[in-house]
């Protein structure tokens, strides 16, 4: 089984920074992409940033220029550096992995980490 563990969330003031991390473990034979989603109260879950196995990145317009997604030394880790945080960034952030075992492709999810931006 595959498990994704997020960390790094917390409470920050507007303009502050946070760095989220996600580590995936288990029987993942291939990882095609990793990403971060978020869900704010009363809102649908949205894609914040993604990175493919080849290193291509993409960002939601609302975070472009402020957030940076990257892969760690371990191949099954991903980070999200969040700068110039705004109250609108307040949400539960979820790590996502597009991967596969020997035969099937799966969409894996972490349990989420709370990010609150408030003064």
């Amino acid at each position: 089984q595959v498990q994704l563990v997020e960390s790094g969330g917390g409470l920050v003031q507007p303009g502050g920074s946070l760095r989220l991390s996600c580590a995936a473990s288990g029987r993942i034979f291939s990882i095609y992409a990793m990403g971060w989603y978020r869900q704010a109260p009363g809102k649908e879950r949205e894609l914040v940033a993604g990175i493919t196995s080849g290193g291509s990145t993409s960002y939601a317009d609302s975070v472009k220029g402020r957030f940076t997604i990257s892969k760690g030394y371990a191949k099954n880790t991903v980070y999200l550096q969040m700068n110039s945080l705004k109250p609108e960034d307040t949400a539960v952030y979820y790590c996502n992995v597009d991967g596969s075992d020997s035969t099937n492709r799966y969409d894996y999810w972490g349990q989420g980490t709370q990010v609150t931006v408030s003064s």
Side-chain angles (χ1 to χ4, degrees):
Q1 297 300 123
V2 175
Q3 182 176 5
L4 275 59
V5 179
E6 303 106 329
S7 63
L11 173 64
V12 297
Q13 295 184 9
S17 298
L18 284 174
R19 185 175 178 85
L20 305 183
S21 63
C22 174
S25 62
R27 299 190 67 177
I28 303 178
F29 293 97
S30 299
I31 295 178
Y32 305 111
M34 303 182 75
W36 290 94
Y37 289 72
R38 69 185 182 187
Q39 187 166 22
K43 302 291 185 179
E44 296 293 322
R45 186 175 298 186
E46 64 174 344
L47 175 64
V48 177
I51 185 167
T52 69
S53 60
S56 298
T57 60
S58 61
Y59 299 91
D61 289 340
S62 60
V63 307
K64 192 172 184 178
R66 300 187 297 118
F67 292 10
T68 303
I69 188 170
S70 62
K71 293 185 288 185
Y73 175 78
K75 302 301 180 183
N76 62 342
T77 60
V78 64
Y79 302 94
L80 184 67
Q81 178 66 46
M82 305 185 295
N83 299 324
S84 302
L85 284 162
K86 305 175 181 179
E88 306 90 88
D89 296 318
T90 296
V92 177
Y93 284 70
Y94 297 91
C95 180
N96 170 262
V97 172
D98 177 9
S100 66
D101 55 23
S102 60
T103 57
N104 300 308
R105 190 163 179 169
Y106 299 99
D107 196 24
Y108 305 102
W109 292 93
Q111 65 180 6
T113 184
Q114 177 70 48
V115 172
T116 302
V117 185
S118 176
S119 59

